[in-house]
Amino acid sequence: MTLFRNIKIIDSQSPFNGQSKDILVENQIISRIEPADSIPVSPEMTVIDENGACISPGWMDMQVHLSDPGFEWKETMSQTAAAAAKGGFTALICYPETNPVPDNASIIKALYQQSKNQNTCFYFAGALTEHKDGKDLSQMYEMHTEKAIAFTDGLKYPQSAGLMLLIKQYISPFNALIIVNPYDKSLIGEAQINEGNTSLQLGMKGIPEIAETIALDKEWHLQQYSPVRTHIQPVTSPKALSSIREMKKKDHRISCGIPSYYLLLTDDCLLDFDTHFKVFPPLKSKAQVNQIIQAIAKKSIDVITSGHFPQGLEEKNCEFEVAEAGMLNLQTAIPVAWEALVESGAIQTEALIDMISHYPRKITGIQAVTISEGQPADFTVFSAETPWTFSEEMIPSTAKNSPFTGKQFSLKIIGTYPLNGKWQKN
Amino acid sequence: MYHLLGIKYISEENINDIFQAAENFKEVIHRPIKKVPSLRDMTIANLFFENSTRTRISFELAEKRLSADVINFSASGSSVKKGETLLDTVNNILAMQVDMIVIRHSVPGAPVYLSKHIKAHIINAGDGTHEHPTQALLDGFSLKEKFGTLKGLNVAIVGDILHSRVALSNIFALKKCGANVRLCGPPTLIPAHITELGVTVSHNLRETLEWCDAVNMLRIQMERQNIRYFPSLREYSMQYGLTLPLLESLKKEIVILHPGPINRGVEISGEVADCSNSIILNQVENGVAVRMAVLYLLAQANKTTQKVS
């Protein structure tokens, strides 16, 4: 039995939203919600009583680049789970980043098997195409029967419109979800950073925004021809976001998401070639980031993710051009989003919780969770009143590629209670 | 100045110090005994991970005229392809007690990356499409020698701006010294938004030449172009090649620079390269003096007065 004493409920779907209550959890179920400081403490209870604590439905991350199996020297699945818990996530959707690539049912099955004993709910996405090489359809139906939560080629977007159409047509009978990040490879070439002042200063080719918008338009034509549940992620172009806003008005099957670091970091960070800031798609300019935040304030984005992508020391400690893209962000994702969105006044706490709890479950078709009596316990406890500093020692993974070490955050995660799991305090 | 990683990392004052020292060293290299003992306690490694003849010889000569001990290392292709990381290669060389390295590398930012990990002084001798600071310094020095000052001077840079580290370093150096810069070349070889760097852009060579006091003609960097940015050298030359008739049709005389190697008949005709307004060979000579100045000033610097941004 765990008693959460005098805790503020942040949950747009809960009848107690905005109220401070005592919450008792028994046998993985929220058994009682009573007025604050009213439930008497019994000896068998663990009592959590933290200053300024809030509780929300468990956070769910729709973009984790899993390293295990294949790249265990970056991060094992247990380390991913540990980082997720520290970051407040009770559920993760893992991209098919592993080796072997999950492009068939047996690998999906093995991944679920491997994740069974973790104190975090893992969901796995299968590849859209065989080996994620953008040529032939993967065995999506069988993966779907083995509970592949979505299909994506990760950060690789199949360039052929013909292939994308086949994919959409093929999956439509079983109503699967695809996750794509449309870009036109021919407009990117070998460029690795955003086109703008930074690319000029560094003498490097830049990726123009039209690389995203042109491909998105193509995706929209395909979607109208053969509509399926399509989640566009990561979308980092403000122009693409305003197009998606219009598309969503016409087609409710479309949704989109963005990793939180795109909301706080700008391409200025790359001015001394720091590989920690190398991500794909690349960081955007200050002006573009402001536009993205304004788009979030207008509810154009459904989901905030971590975009967590572990890379080993060797992949990052090298020349910029040969460094791998990606950054750790499971532990910092929501503190970063909090700073960029809530602290800045762009949105309210409740709106952020919707984007990291309710919408990811709605988009992926996972059962909704809410803070009310009789509901299974699946929640995150956090406080915005305890500043803390993120340090390298806090990272459970072997990979340490976070640009946020040494940074102070205002949002602190106190602990998580994953579905069918146990309370884990930070 | 502890390193010279790029013009963008140094001040106008640094540039003037280099010009001043270069003037003194230019006098030295015209003496019967062209050598001074300034760096006789220094060991310098020239690490060329990319082909170079002129820059490498110019640095080597500058080092030898300052009495430094010199070792040369050349490797084609990036060290990564050979299985050894750049940092490992450099650390191996530094373990032999090298004080300063001159590095040319195909990857932009490679010298900046090294500067975060090693103690030796670093001179960037060209890093991919990023910077080539000593070339910009010798171009600036040559212009200053010719015109007395760079302030208010109109300088045009013509050619493949997109792939040129010489162009970028020149833009930074000329702007810092108060010159006006205009870029000219096919739109496919001019980076988008380049005017944000405070330069103007033209696609008309005649207009550009009418405007400028000096023109720096760049070579087409075929080796960096993995796609065709223009249909043929013939078409390029028709639009952006500097010929004697064109030069003679102008109402004024302009000074002609070229960082070399020259592709005669492409960006510049033979007669123009050899004409009296061309200071191409002065540039080469000044290159040694400017590099001596940079080596000398860095050797004087203390680690505390570092570094990038």
Side-chain angles (χ1 to χ4, degrees), chain A residues 368-397:
Chain A
V369 294
T370 180
I371 309 295
S372 46
E373 282 176 346
Q375 286 290 315
D378 182 346
F379 54 75
T380 302
V381 177
F382 59 96
S383 162
E385 291 171 21
T386 338
W388 63 289
T389 303
F390 183 58
S391 69
E392 198 171 296
E393 298 73 54
M394 296 178 181
I395 301 173
S397 327

PDB file of all heavy atoms in Angstrom, chain A residues 368-397:
ATOM      1  N   ALA A 368      -6.495   4.209 -22.225  1.00  0.00           N
ATOM      2  CA  ALA A 368      -6.272   5.470 -21.519  1.00  0.00           C
ATOM      3  C   ALA A 368      -6.070   5.214 -20.032  1.00  0.00           C
ATOM      4  O   ALA A 368      -6.590   4.244 -19.488  1.00  0.00           O
ATOM      5  CB  ALA A 368      -7.462   6.386 -21.735  1.00  0.00           C
ATOM      6  N   VAL A 369      -5.288   6.058 -19.391  1.00  0.00           N
ATOM      7  CA  VAL A 369      -5.160   5.978 -17.933  1.00  0.00           C
ATOM      8  C   VAL A 369      -5.572   7.324 -17.351  1.00  0.00           C
ATOM      9  O   VAL A 369      -5.407   8.359 -17.971  1.00  0.00           O
ATOM     10  CB  VAL A 369      -3.725   5.617 -17.485  1.00  0.00           C
ATOM     11  CG1 VAL A 369      -3.364   4.221 -17.910  1.00  0.00           C
ATOM     12  CG2 VAL A 369      -2.708   6.621 -17.994  1.00  0.00           C
ATOM     13  N   THR A 370      -6.121   7.261 -16.148  1.00  0.00           N
ATOM     14  CA  THR A 370      -6.547   8.505 -15.521  1.00  0.00           C
ATOM     15  C   THR A 370      -6.442   8.368 -14.008  1.00  0.00           C
ATOM     16  O   THR A 370      -6.387   7.257 -13.475  1.00  0.00           O
ATOM     17  CB  THR A 370      -7.978   8.876 -15.992  1.00  0.00           C
ATOM     18  OG1 THR A 370      -8.350  10.087 -15.373  1.00  0.00           O
ATOM     19  CG2 THR A 370      -8.980   7.814 -15.680  1.00  0.00           C
ATOM     20  N   ILE A 371      -6.375   9.511 -13.342  1.00  0.00           N
ATOM     21  CA  ILE A 371      -6.261   9.488 -11.885  1.00  0.00           C
ATOM     22  C   ILE A 371      -7.665   9.523 -11.302  1.00  0.00           C
ATOM     23  O   ILE A 371      -8.239  10.597 -11.084  1.00  0.00           O
ATOM     24  CB  ILE A 371      -5.421  10.700 -11.374  1.00  0.00           C
ATOM     25  CG1 ILE A 371      -4.086  10.810 -12.108  1.00  0.00           C
ATOM     26  CG2 ILE A 371      -5.219  10.617  -9.863  1.00  0.00           C
ATOM     27  CD1 ILE A 371      -3.129   9.665 -11.875  1.00  0.00           C
ATOM     28  N   SER A 372      -8.252   8.348 -11.127  1.00  0.00           N
ATOM     29  CA  SER A 372      -9.541   8.281 -10.423  1.00  0.00           C
ATOM     30  C   SER A 372      -9.677   6.915  -9.755  1.00  0.00           C
ATOM     31  O   SER A 372      -8.950   5.970 -10.097  1.00  0.00           O
ATOM     32  CB  SER A 372     -10.711   8.578 -11.368  1.00  0.00           C
ATOM     33  OG  SER A 372     -10.580   7.879 -12.561  1.00  0.00           O
ATOM     34  N   GLU A 373     -10.580   6.837  -8.826  1.00  0.00           N
ATOM     35  CA  GLU A 373     -10.722   5.619  -8.004  1.00  0.00           C
ATOM     36  C   GLU A 373     -11.076   4.411  -8.859  1.00  0.00           C
ATOM     37  O   GLU A 373     -11.890   4.508  -9.776  1.00  0.00           O
ATOM     38  CB  GLU A 373     -11.791   5.839  -6.929  1.00  0.00           C
ATOM     39  CG  GLU A 373     -11.251   6.658  -5.763  1.00  0.00           C
ATOM     40  CD  GLU A 373     -12.324   6.990  -4.716  1.00  0.00           C
ATOM     41  OE1 GLU A 373     -13.520   6.828  -5.007  1.00  0.00           O
ATOM     42  OE2 GLU A 373     -11.935   7.411  -3.621  1.00  0.00           O
ATOM     43  N   GLY A 374     -10.478   3.277  -8.534  1.00  0.00           N
ATOM     44  CA  GLY A 374     -10.762   2.039  -9.247  1.00  0.00           C
ATOM     45  C   GLY A 374      -9.917   1.865 -10.499  1.00  0.00           C
ATOM     46  O   GLY A 374      -9.930   0.800 -11.119  1.00  0.00           O
ATOM     47  N   GLN A 375      -9.170   2.896 -10.883  1.00  0.00           N
ATOM     48  CA  GLN A 375      -8.325   2.811 -12.079  1.00  0.00           C
ATOM     49  C   GLN A 375      -7.004   2.128 -11.751  1.00  0.00           C
ATOM     50  O   GLN A 375      -6.493   2.263 -10.641  1.00  0.00           O
ATOM     51  CB  GLN A 375      -8.013   4.222 -12.590  1.00  0.00           C
ATOM     52  CG  GLN A 375      -9.163   4.910 -13.274  1.00  0.00           C
ATOM     53  CD  GLN A 375      -9.503   4.283 -14.605  1.00  0.00           C
ATOM     54  OE1 GLN A 375      -8.632   3.979 -15.414  1.00  0.00           O
ATOM     55  NE2 GLN A 375     -10.785   4.025 -14.823  1.00  0.00           N
ATOM     56  N   PRO A 376      -6.444   1.401 -12.709  1.00  0.00           N
ATOM     57  CA  PRO A 376      -5.109   0.839 -12.467  1.00  0.00           C
ATOM     58  C   PRO A 376      -4.095   1.965 -12.233  1.00  0.00           C
ATOM     59  O   PRO A 376      -4.206   3.033 -12.845  1.00  0.00           O
ATOM     60  CB  PRO A 376      -4.781   0.086 -13.752  1.00  0.00           C
ATOM     61  CG  PRO A 376      -5.845   0.380 -14.718  1.00  0.00           C
ATOM     62  CD  PRO A 376      -6.965   1.082 -14.029  1.00  0.00           C
ATOM     63  N   ALA A 377      -3.149   1.711 -11.355  1.00  0.00           N
ATOM     64  CA  ALA A 377      -2.125   2.724 -11.076  1.00  0.00           C
ATOM     65  C   ALA A 377      -1.174   2.802 -12.253  1.00  0.00           C
ATOM     66  O   ALA A 377      -0.543   1.811 -12.624  1.00  0.00           O
ATOM     67  CB  ALA A 377      -1.368   2.369  -9.808  1.00  0.00           C
ATOM     68  N   ASP A 378      -1.108   3.939 -12.899  1.00  0.00           N
ATOM     69  CA  ASP A 378      -0.130   4.216 -13.952  1.00  0.00           C
ATOM     70  C   ASP A 378       0.036   5.728 -13.920  1.00  0.00           C
ATOM     71  O   ASP A 378      -0.762   6.458 -14.497  1.00  0.00           O
ATOM     72  CB  ASP A 378      -0.642   3.734 -15.317  1.00  0.00           C
ATOM     73  CG  ASP A 378       0.392   3.980 -16.423  1.00  0.00           C
ATOM     74  OD1 ASP A 378       1.359   4.741 -16.188  1.00  0.00           O
ATOM     75  OD2 ASP A 378       0.226   3.418 -17.530  1.00  0.00           O
ATOM     76  N   PHE A 379       1.004   6.177 -13.132  1.00  0.00           N
ATOM     77  CA  PHE A 379       1.130   7.627 -12.978  1.00  0.00           C
ATOM     78  C   PHE A 379       2.565   8.061 -12.717  1.00  0.00           C
ATOM     79  O   PHE A 379       3.450   7.243 -12.471  1.00  0.00           O
ATOM     80  CB  PHE A 379       0.188   8.128 -11.865  1.00  0.00           C
ATOM     81  CG  PHE A 379       0.343   7.441 -10.543  1.00  0.00           C
ATOM     82  CD1 PHE A 379       1.422   7.708  -9.706  1.00  0.00           C
ATOM     83  CD2 PHE A 379      -0.633   6.520 -10.113  1.00  0.00           C
ATOM     84  CE1 PHE A 379       1.539   7.086  -8.483  1.00  0.00           C
ATOM     85  CE2 PHE A 379      -0.505   5.885  -8.883  1.00  0.00           C
ATOM     86  CZ  PHE A 379       0.575   6.166  -8.064  1.00  0.00           C
ATOM     87  N   THR A 380       2.741   9.367 -12.822  1.00  0.00           N
ATOM     88  CA  THR A 380       4.043   9.990 -12.591  1.00  0.00           C
ATOM     89  C   THR A 380       3.866  11.061 -11.521  1.00  0.00           C
ATOM     90  O   THR A 380       2.868  11.792 -11.547  1.00  0.00           O
ATOM     91  CB  THR A 380       4.556  10.629 -13.896  1.00  0.00           C
ATOM     92  OG1 THR A 380       4.622   9.611 -14.894  1.00  0.00           O
ATOM     93  CG2 THR A 380       5.931  11.265 -13.713  1.00  0.00           C
ATOM     94  N   VAL A 381       4.799  11.116 -10.591  1.00  0.00           N
ATOM     95  CA  VAL A 381       4.754  12.129  -9.533  1.00  0.00           C
ATOM     96  C   VAL A 381       5.931  13.073  -9.728  1.00  0.00           C
ATOM     97  O   VAL A 381       7.065  12.622  -9.916  1.00  0.00           O
ATOM     98  CB  VAL A 381       4.793  11.465  -8.135  1.00  0.00           C
ATOM     99  CG1 VAL A 381       4.824  12.536  -7.038  1.00  0.00           C
ATOM    100  CG2 VAL A 381       3.599  10.541  -7.958  1.00  0.00           C
ATOM    101  N   PHE A 382       5.649  14.367  -9.741  1.00  0.00           N
ATOM    102  CA  PHE A 382       6.696  15.349 -10.025  1.00  0.00           C
ATOM    103  C   PHE A 382       6.465  16.617  -9.224  1.00  0.00           C
ATOM    104  O   PHE A 382       5.398  16.798  -8.623  1.00  0.00           O
ATOM    105  CB  PHE A 382       6.712  15.665 -11.529  1.00  0.00           C
ATOM    106  CG  PHE A 382       5.415  16.225 -12.059  1.00  0.00           C
ATOM    107  CD1 PHE A 382       5.221  17.590 -12.188  1.00  0.00           C
ATOM    108  CD2 PHE A 382       4.365  15.375 -12.412  1.00  0.00           C
ATOM    109  CE1 PHE A 382       4.013  18.112 -12.675  1.00  0.00           C
ATOM    110  CE2 PHE A 382       3.155  15.886 -12.893  1.00  0.00           C
ATOM    111  CZ  PHE A 382       2.985  17.248 -13.022  1.00  0.00           C
ATOM    112  N   SER A 383       7.456  17.463  -9.216  1.00  0.00           N
ATOM    113  CA  SER A 383       7.325  18.732  -8.512  1.00  0.00           C
ATOM    114  C   SER A 383       8.006  19.817  -9.320  1.00  0.00           C
ATOM    115  O   SER A 383       9.064  19.589  -9.905  1.00  0.00           O
ATOM    116  CB  SER A 383       7.978  18.632  -7.136  1.00  0.00           C
ATOM    117  OG  SER A 383       8.214  19.932  -6.627  1.00  0.00           O
ATOM    118  N   ALA A 384       7.381  20.974  -9.349  1.00  0.00           N
ATOM    119  CA  ALA A 384       7.989  22.086 -10.089  1.00  0.00           C
ATOM    120  C   ALA A 384       8.632  23.070  -9.118  1.00  0.00           C
ATOM    121  O   ALA A 384       8.986  24.171  -9.479  1.00  0.00           O
ATOM    122  CB  ALA A 384       6.932  22.783 -10.931  1.00  0.00           C
ATOM    123  N   GLU A 385       8.740  22.649  -7.865  1.00  0.00           N
ATOM    124  CA  GLU A 385       9.237  23.585  -6.851  1.00  0.00           C
ATOM    125  C   GLU A 385      10.599  23.186  -6.301  1.00  0.00           C
ATOM    126  O   GLU A 385      11.046  23.734  -5.296  1.00  0.00           O
ATOM    127  CB  GLU A 385       8.213  23.680  -5.713  1.00  0.00           C
ATOM    128  CG  GLU A 385       6.949  24.385  -6.157  1.00  0.00           C
ATOM    129  CD  GLU A 385       5.832  24.306  -5.126  1.00  0.00           C
ATOM    130  OE1 GLU A 385       6.130  24.076  -3.940  1.00  0.00           O
ATOM    131  OE2 GLU A 385       4.668  24.475  -5.522  1.00  0.00           O
ATOM    132  N   THR A 386      11.244  22.191  -6.924  1.00  0.00           N
ATOM    133  CA  THR A 386      12.538  21.756  -6.411  1.00  0.00           C
ATOM    134  C   THR A 386      13.581  21.791  -7.521  1.00  0.00           C
ATOM    135  O   THR A 386      13.759  20.809  -8.246  1.00  0.00           O
ATOM    136  CB  THR A 386      12.443  20.296  -5.888  1.00  0.00           C
ATOM    137  OG1 THR A 386      11.088  20.008  -5.587  1.00  0.00           O
ATOM    138  CG2 THR A 386      13.332  20.069  -4.699  1.00  0.00           C
ATOM    139  N   PRO A 387      14.291  22.911  -7.691  1.00  0.00           N
ATOM    140  CA  PRO A 387      15.313  22.955  -8.740  1.00  0.00           C
ATOM    141  C   PRO A 387      16.397  21.910  -8.499  1.00  0.00           C
ATOM    142  O   PRO A 387      16.724  21.603  -7.347  1.00  0.00           O
ATOM    143  CB  PRO A 387      15.904  24.372  -8.611  1.00  0.00           C
ATOM    144  CG  PRO A 387      14.946  25.140  -7.795  1.00  0.00           C
ATOM    145  CD  PRO A 387      14.239  24.162  -6.915  1.00  0.00           C
ATOM    146  N   TRP A 388      16.897  21.345  -9.558  1.00  0.00           N
ATOM    147  CA  TRP A 388      17.941  20.322  -9.461  1.00  0.00           C
ATOM    148  C   TRP A 388      18.863  20.440 -10.663  1.00  0.00           C
ATOM    149  O   TRP A 388      18.514  21.060 -11.669  1.00  0.00           O
ATOM    150  CB  TRP A 388      17.311  18.924  -9.411  1.00  0.00           C
ATOM    151  CG  TRP A 388      16.551  18.573 -10.657  1.00  0.00           C
ATOM    152  CD1 TRP A 388      15.349  19.111 -11.056  1.00  0.00           C
ATOM    153  CD2 TRP A 388      16.937  17.668 -11.698  1.00  0.00           C
ATOM    154  NE1 TRP A 388      14.962  18.588 -12.269  1.00  0.00           N
ATOM    155  CE2 TRP A 388      15.913  17.694 -12.678  1.00  0.00           C
ATOM    156  CE3 TRP A 388      18.031  16.817 -11.887  1.00  0.00           C
ATOM    157  CZ2 TRP A 388      15.969  16.919 -13.836  1.00  0.00           C
ATOM    158  CZ3 TRP A 388      18.081  16.032 -13.036  1.00  0.00           C
ATOM    159  CH2 TRP A 388      17.061  16.084 -14.007  1.00  0.00           C
ATOM    160  N   THR A 389      20.040  19.855 -10.539  1.00  0.00           N
ATOM    161  CA  THR A 389      21.010  19.934 -11.632  1.00  0.00           C
ATOM    162  C   THR A 389      21.289  18.539 -12.171  1.00  0.00           C
ATOM    163  O   THR A 389      21.567  17.612 -11.411  1.00  0.00           O
ATOM    164  CB  THR A 389      22.313  20.590 -11.130  1.00  0.00           C
ATOM    165  OG1 THR A 389      21.983  21.871 -10.608  1.00  0.00           O
ATOM    166  CG2 THR A 389      23.316  20.752 -12.264  1.00  0.00           C
ATOM    167  N   PHE A 390      21.181  18.420 -13.480  1.00  0.00           N
ATOM    168  CA  PHE A 390      21.427  17.121 -14.130  1.00  0.00           C
ATOM    169  C   PHE A 390      22.926  16.907 -14.264  1.00  0.00           C
ATOM    170  O   PHE A 390      23.646  17.823 -14.680  1.00  0.00           O
ATOM    171  CB  PHE A 390      20.765  17.129 -15.512  1.00  0.00           C
ATOM    172  CG  PHE A 390      20.865  15.837 -16.256  1.00  0.00           C
ATOM    173  CD1 PHE A 390      20.359  14.663 -15.719  1.00  0.00           C
ATOM    174  CD2 PHE A 390      21.482  15.780 -17.513  1.00  0.00           C
ATOM    175  CE1 PHE A 390      20.442  13.461 -16.414  1.00  0.00           C
ATOM    176  CE2 PHE A 390      21.572  14.585 -18.212  1.00  0.00           C
ATOM    177  CZ  PHE A 390      21.047  13.427 -17.651  1.00  0.00           C
ATOM    178  N   SER A 391      23.387  15.727 -13.882  1.00  0.00           N
ATOM    179  CA  SER A 391      24.828  15.477 -13.992  1.00  0.00           C
ATOM    180  C   SER A 391      25.084  14.118 -14.635  1.00  0.00           C
ATOM    181  O   SER A 391      24.196  13.256 -14.678  1.00  0.00           O
ATOM    182  CB  SER A 391      25.482  15.525 -12.613  1.00  0.00           C
ATOM    183  OG  SER A 391      25.055  14.418 -11.861  1.00  0.00           O
ATOM    184  N   GLU A 392      26.295  13.950 -15.116  1.00  0.00           N
ATOM    185  CA  GLU A 392      26.650  12.714 -15.826  1.00  0.00           C
ATOM    186  C   GLU A 392      26.489  11.484 -14.933  1.00  0.00           C
ATOM    187  O   GLU A 392      26.109  10.418 -15.402  1.00  0.00           O
ATOM    188  CB  GLU A 392      28.091  12.823 -16.336  1.00  0.00           C
ATOM    189  CG  GLU A 392      28.397  11.816 -17.415  1.00  0.00           C
ATOM    190  CD  GLU A 392      29.742  12.052 -18.092  1.00  0.00           C
ATOM    191  OE1 GLU A 392      29.907  13.094 -18.734  1.00  0.00           O
ATOM    192  OE2 GLU A 392      30.616  11.159 -17.961  1.00  0.00           O
ATOM    193  N   GLU A 393      26.750  11.651 -13.636  1.00  0.00           N
ATOM    194  CA  GLU A 393      26.648  10.512 -12.711  1.00  0.00           C
ATOM    195  C   GLU A 393      25.222   9.986 -12.618  1.00  0.00           C
ATOM    196  O   GLU A 393      24.986   8.848 -12.217  1.00  0.00           O
ATOM    197  CB  GLU A 393      27.109  10.903 -11.299  1.00  0.00           C
ATOM    198  CG  GLU A 393      28.561  11.331 -11.161  1.00  0.00           C
ATOM    199  CD  GLU A 393      28.828  12.715 -11.740  1.00  0.00           C
ATOM    200  OE1 GLU A 393      28.111  13.662 -11.333  1.00  0.00           O
ATOM    201  OE2 GLU A 393      29.709  12.846 -12.608  1.00  0.00           O
ATOM    202  N   MET A 394      24.252  10.810 -12.965  1.00  0.00           N
ATOM    203  CA  MET A 394      22.842  10.386 -12.883  1.00  0.00           C
ATOM    204  C   MET A 394      22.437   9.497 -14.057  1.00  0.00           C
ATOM    205  O   MET A 394      21.353   8.929 -14.054  1.00  0.00           O
ATOM    206  CB  MET A 394      21.926  11.610 -12.877  1.00  0.00           C
ATOM    207  CG  MET A 394      22.102  12.509 -11.685  1.00  0.00           C
ATOM    208  SD  MET A 394      21.003  13.936 -11.868  1.00  0.00           S
ATOM    209  CE  MET A 394      21.424  14.829 -10.382  1.00  0.00           C
ATOM    210  N   ILE A 395      23.288   9.433 -15.094  1.00  0.00           N
ATOM    211  CA  ILE A 395      22.913   8.692 -16.306  1.00  0.00           C
ATOM    212  C   ILE A 395      23.192   7.200 -16.102  1.00  0.00           C
ATOM    213  O   ILE A 395      24.326   6.818 -15.857  1.00  0.00           O
ATOM    214  CB  ILE A 395      23.717   9.210 -17.528  1.00  0.00           C
ATOM    215  CG1 ILE A 395      23.440  10.708 -17.740  1.00  0.00           C
ATOM    216  CG2 ILE A 395      23.399   8.408 -18.787  1.00  0.00           C
ATOM    217  CD1 ILE A 395      24.299  11.361 -18.820  1.00  0.00           C
ATOM    218  N   PRO A 396      22.163   6.361 -16.175  1.00  0.00           N
ATOM    219  CA  PRO A 396      22.396   4.933 -15.957  1.00  0.00           C
ATOM    220  C   PRO A 396      23.081   4.237 -17.138  1.00  0.00           C
ATOM    221  O   PRO A 396      23.659   3.167 -16.974  1.00  0.00           O
ATOM    222  CB  PRO A 396      20.989   4.368 -15.735  1.00  0.00           C
ATOM    223  CG  PRO A 396      20.056   5.360 -16.336  1.00  0.00           C
ATOM    224  CD  PRO A 396      20.744   6.683 -16.344  1.00  0.00           C
ATOM    225  N   SER A 397      23.012   4.837 -18.323  1.00  0.00           N
ATOM    226  CA  SER A 397      23.548   4.167 -19.517  1.00  0.00           C
ATOM    227  C   SER A 397      25.050   4.318 -19.626  1.00  0.00           C
ATOM    228  O   SER A 397      25.637   5.213 -19.020  1.00  0.00           O
ATOM    229  CB  SER A 397      22.943   4.799 -20.779  1.00  0.00           C
ATOM    230  OG  SER A 397      21.644   5.217 -20.531  1.00  0.00           O
TER     231      SER A 397
END
